[in-house]
Amino acid sequence: MSTQTNATHATPHLVDSETDGIRTFEAVGGDWSDIAEEAARLAEQRIVVNMGPQHPSTHGVLRLMLEIDGETVTEARAGIGYLHTGIEKNMEFRTWTQGVTFCTRMDYLAPLFQEAAYCLGTERLLGITDDIPERASQIRVLMMELNRVGSHLVALATGGNELGATTIMTIGFTAREEILRVFELITGLRMNHAYIRPGGVAQDIPPGALDQIREALVGVKKYLRQLEDLMLGQPILKGRLQNVGVLNLASCMALGITGPMLRSTGLPYDVRKAAPYCGYETYDFDVPVLEGADCWDRMVLRIEECYQSMKIVDQVLERLAASAGQPVMVEDKKIAWPAQLAIGSDGMGNSLDHIREIMGTSMEALIHHFKLVTEGFRVPAGQVWQTVEHPRGELGVHLVSDGGTKPYRAHFRDPSFNNLQAVSMLCEGGQIADVVCAVASIDPVLGGVDR
């Protein structure tokens, strides 16, 4: 791997020059100038290829700068920041409850995990962790595990499509559609739900939802078996993925890499087991591991994790059937916003009983509702670090409160951001075609990387 210069990157720009009546433009500045200067100094001839940020195989707006020698990648660097949304900074200007509507949009393929981590951290600052209704925790587990399956299905589907296997993509997305229908049934939205709230969840699951979830799981399992038949017995796929993008345990530990990438090295680290939350210690499930540490093992692990998640969902459904009618939001009315919702004539909305009370009989209730919605509740000063097991690894949130109604600071440790550090180690020394396999095996979501 060539040595990088330490020169500060100048802003890229065009130099307009004219020689013998011929006008030319030369791109200078930025990474290109450094690479060109270094190549000239070392008397080397290099080819630099820009892959992305508009490339269909970079899982969003990821820019990869590849130096190649023939078909071999000699250097790979990732350029991020093209999807920067300022979500964390925006959360400092919204109430604690409104913050959920921001963080759910970070990793848009796994929104419920950001919501859960943020709300668990907020509840710890409030000191109400033990007051969260059991049914609310059960619903959170249900939604997160369904979301895990949906996220892994996208990883498998897009990874297959990038290697030319369109059928893998169509089956994967068809299976995910079953899960998105369940999300829409429960939250009213397919993505960016803002369903998990500080103190519980926005509303209980509607009547008949358990049967529809069981029916959806039957469909998902059928499609997963089709994916297994297509992928695991496919010699072309094995040739493309086995012994490609190898990243051993020592490298994963050095780079802070978690999730399926870490478990493919044989280490069974999973936050649900290491630091349980939402009652995960009461569920029976395994943490699958493999030891090949390559793209193939990461793909196989995601398939197995889908089955383990559905095993958890089956257990949750039994508990939800037994806890029907129990509350899904903390009892403290100074925190419980919004009021208990019920499906109205418009398909969603506040319960009619609540509206009648605050609009017709209790001015105090109306004032309280108004202040809670517009101003929000106060959170005692302090800071907290909360982690959950995200589909891509360990997701952490650091929340700081100054005692007000808005977070003083909200910062997320997104697993895609950390895992993306492995790009150079996965790609350098391999073929150009293997870059696509390596990036797909990381399964980064750039909404979470850039935030």
Side-chain angles (χ1 to χ4, degrees):
M1 188 173 71
S2 57
T3 306
Q4 287 295 311
T5 60
N6 293 322
T8 302
H9 295 167
T11 303
H13 60 282
L14 290 176
V15 174
D16 185 358
S17 59
E18 187 170 338
T19 306
D20 298 329
I22 300 175
R23 192 179 184 190
T24 60
F25 295 90
E26 180 185 3
V28 299
D31 293 333
W32 296 107
S33 290
D34 289 350
I35 292 171
E37 290 169 9
E38 185 184 3
R41 179 170 54 81
L42 298 175
E44 291 181 354
Q45 183 176 358
R46 306 182 188 179
I47 298 177
V48 180
V49 176
N50 247 324
M51 179 177 167
Q54 76 294 334
H55 196 283
S57 295
T58 53
H59 292 250
V61 282
L62 170 67
R63 177 189 177 201
L64 295 173
M65 292 153 281
L66 308 175
E67 282 191 25
I68 59 174
D69 179 8
E71 286 288 317
T72 302
V73 177
T74 57
E75 185 172 349
R77 287 182 291 167
I80 63 173
Y82 293 88
L83 197 59
H84 182 56
T85 50
I87 283 174
E88 293 166 331
K89 178 57 68 175
N90 271 299
M91 291 173 72
E92 298 174 15
F93 297 89
R94 299 296 188 278
T95 68
W96 290 89
T97 299
Q98 290 171 332
V100 178
T101 65
F102 281 87
C103 66
T104 189
R105 287 167 163 77
M106 294 191 332
D107 185 329
Y108 36 79
L109 293 181
L112 289 152
F113 292 89
Q114 281 106 224
E115 295 177 21
Y118 172 75
C119 291
L120 287 168
T122 304
E123 288 157 5
R124 283 176 58 190
L125 284 173
L126 286 166
I128 61 170
T129 301
D130 295 334
D131 300 328
I132 306 304
E134 187 176 354
R135 185 171 176 83
S137 293
Q138 293 167 358
I139 294 175
R140 288 177 175 183
V141 171
L142 169 74
M143 301 297 281
M144 282 189 286
E145 293 309 316
L146 287 174
N147 202 178
R148 191 184 311 278
V149 176
S151 178
H152 282 341
L153 284 170
V154 173
L156 297 170
T158 54
N161 186 60
E162 286 157 10
L163 299 181
T166 307
T167 310
I168 291 176
M169 182 193 71
T170 56
I171 291 176
F173 275 96
T174 304
R176 177 173 177 256
E177 196 66 25
E178 299 281 348
I179 294 172
L180 293 186
R181 287 197 192 100
V182 172
F183 287 164
E184 189 172 13
L185 170 72
I186 294 175
T187 73
L189 295 164
R190 291 158 57 87
M191 300 169 69
N192 303 332
H193 313 278
Y195 176 69
I196 299 174
R197 307 284 179 91
V201 295
Q203 66 182 22
D204 202 350
I205 57 176
L210 298 185
D211 291 335
Q212 293 193 44
I213 294 171
R214 291 190 182 97
E215 187 178 334
L217 286 180
V218 172
V220 173
K221 288 176 182 176
K222 180 188 75 173
Y223 292 121
L224 256 180
R225 284 191 291 270
Q226 291 182 13
L227 280 176
E228 284 186 276
D229 293 339
L230 269 173
M231 302 175 81
L232 302 186
Q234 173 56 259
I236 297 176
L237 202 60
K238 286 185 177 179
R240 289 299 310 274
L241 299 182
Q242 286 185 338
N243 298 316
V244 171
V246 177
L247 191 72
N248 61 26
L249 176 59
S251 300
C252 285
M253 298 300 286
L255 294 174
I257 287 171
T258 52
M261 291 188 72
L262 177 62
R263 291 190 285 273
S264 71
T265 67
L267 183 67
Y269 178 73
D270 189 306
V271 181
R272 293 172 295 176
K273 295 284 190 182
Y277 52 94
C278 292
Y280 268 109
E281 66 275 12
T282 65
Y283 293 93
D284 177 30
F285 68 99
D286 298 319
V287 179
V289 293
L290 292 170
E291 296 183 355
D294 57 9
C295 295
W296 175 262
D297 277 11
R298 291 169 208 140
M299 179 196 75
V300 174
L301 276 179
R302 289 187 175 99
I303 294 176
E304 180 56 32
E305 286 185 15
C306 287
Y307 284 112
Q308 292 298 325
S309 289
M310 287 189 284
K311 182 179 178 182
I312 296 174
V313 170
D314 287 334
Q315 298 171 57
V316 177
L317 293 177
E318 293 180 8
R319 300 186 187 189
L320 286 172
S323 65
Q326 295 181 11
V328 296
M329 179 60 77
V330 69
E331 291 184 7
D332 188 349
K333 295 305 178 184
K334 293 183 179 178
I335 297 171
W337 183 85
Q340 292 299 296
L341 298 177
I343 303 296
S345 59
D346 59 349
M348 293 293 291
N350 279 306
S351 84
L352 293 177
D353 290 339
H354 179 72
I355 293 174
R356 288 192 190 100
E357 180 189 358
I358 67 174
M359 297 302 292
T361 61
S362 175
M363 177 60 72
E364 183 181 348
L366 177 62
I367 294 171
H368 173 72
H369 182 85
F370 179 80
K371 284 183 63 66
L372 188 60
V373 171
T374 57
E375 182 182 297
F377 50 78
R378 294 190 176 276
V379 173
Q383 61 179 327
V384 68
W385 169 253
Q386 175 68 45
T387 61
V388 300
E389 185 62 33
H390 186 282
R392 275 159 278 287
E394 184 170 12
L395 169 73
V397 57
H398 177 218
L399 297 174
V400 182
S401 173
D402 60 0
T405 58
K406 303 170 184 176
Y408 177 78
R409 184 76 177 95
H411 176 67
F412 287 81
R413 179 225 188 260
D414 189 275
S416 292
F417 180 84
N418 291 72
N419 294 354
L420 208 56
Q421 295 179 104
V423 163
S424 60
M425 296 186 73
L426 293 175
C427 298
E428 289 170 5
Q431 304 292 293
I432 294 179
D434 294 338
V435 173
V436 174
C437 303
V439 173
S441 76
I442 297 174
D443 183 29
V445 173
L446 273 294
V449 174
D450 293 341
R451 298 190 298 288

